[in-house]
Amino acid sequence: MDNNDLLIRLRYALDIKNTDMVEIFKLGGVELSKEEVLKVLTKTPEEEDVKESENHIPLDNAMLESFLNGLIVHKRGRQDPKPGQPEQPPLTNEPSNNLLLKKVKIALQLTSDDMLDILKLAGVTVSKSEMGGILRKQGHKNYSVCGDRYARNFLKGLALKYRK
């Protein structure tokens, strides 16, 4: 799953409108027009579909992280930075799936148990220690990379929970 697919699924799960998408990108420090957001929200074309690539903007890790930071501000409000702390959080070099789970957890004020329940809605059982490893800081001895299966099922569970 690439970053565009993650964003498309997250947008669907949380039922975010196009105008809100523009605003969330802006809160994260990325200026995109509504037309550009629509191009980001298209699936990545296959190698053969070169002519469709002008209707697609690939989403890199920095743009995805900026969007997720904007989602946190959108859902929870802007937090005043502490003295010596930068206005915008520095971008990490973390895998997209781990980043998605961590930032959505913060934005929606979920506990680890809530996240396990969301995964259970999608039919996936994850242990608390597995979830803890995914949510750890990169470089920690118990850190584990979140696979596409967990990310996909987490977004599916979010959709089941929030789109009733």
Side-chain angles (χ1 to χ4, degrees):
M1 249 183 4
D2 67 350
N3 293 345
N4 290 73
D5 196 28
L6 286 174
L7 189 64
I8 291 166
R9 290 171 187 248
L10 179 64
R11 175 182 181 255
Y12 174 78
L14 299 178
D15 197 20
I16 303 172
K17 308 288 182 255
N18 290 340
T19 52
D20 291 338
M21 292 290 289
V22 172
E23 180 64 27
I24 291 170
F25 269 113
K26 191 179 210 177
L27 289 171
V30 177
E31 292 288 330
L32 289 177
S33 68
K34 191 173 177 181
E35 292 76 28
E36 290 171 321
V37 167
L38 292 174
K39 289 180 182 180
V40 168
L41 293 171
T42 57
K43 288 193 179 266
T44 304
E46 298 296 323
E47 300 293 327
E48 305 89 46
D49 297 338
V50 177
K51 62 183 174 190
E52 288 205 31
S53 63
E54 66 229 17
N55 296 327
H56 173 75
I57 297 175
L59 189 68
D60 61 10
N61 285 354
M63 279 178 67
L64 178 65
E65 188 167 356
S66 295
F67 175 82
L68 293 170
N69 288 337
L71 181 65
I72 292 170
V73 173
H74 181 73
K75 293 284 187 183
R76 296 184 65 165
R78 189 165 299 279
Q79 187 178 23
D80 293 329
K82 295 180 176 98
Q85 193 178 32
E87 182 73 27
Q88 291 276 19
L91 297 178
T92 63
N93 198 13
E94 207 166 342
S96 303
N97 294 340
N98 288 66
L99 196 63
L100 175 86
L101 265 64
K102 287 178 186 180
K103 300 280 183 170
V104 170
K105 178 182 190 266
I106 294 167
L108 300 178
Q109 301 178 17
L110 301 172
T111 63
S112 293
D113 288 333
D114 293 337
M115 294 184 73
L116 293 173
D117 291 341
I118 288 170
L119 281 163
K120 200 173 282 180
L121 277 175
V124 176
T125 306
V126 180
S127 70
K128 274 191 171 186
S129 60
E130 276 182 293
M131 182 56 68
I134 290 170
L135 297 175
R136 295 241 182 244
K137 186 174 185 179
Q138 194 173 16
H140 188 278
K141 69 176 186 166
N142 293 333
Y143 173 82
S144 61
V145 176
C146 177
D148 284 347
R149 176 176 165 252
Y150 287 146
R152 187 175 20 260
N153 283 302
F154 178 74
L155 291 170
K156 180 181 174 184
L158 272 180
L160 292 171
K161 182 175 181 172
Y162 288 100
R163 291 188 65 102
K164 290 184 178 180

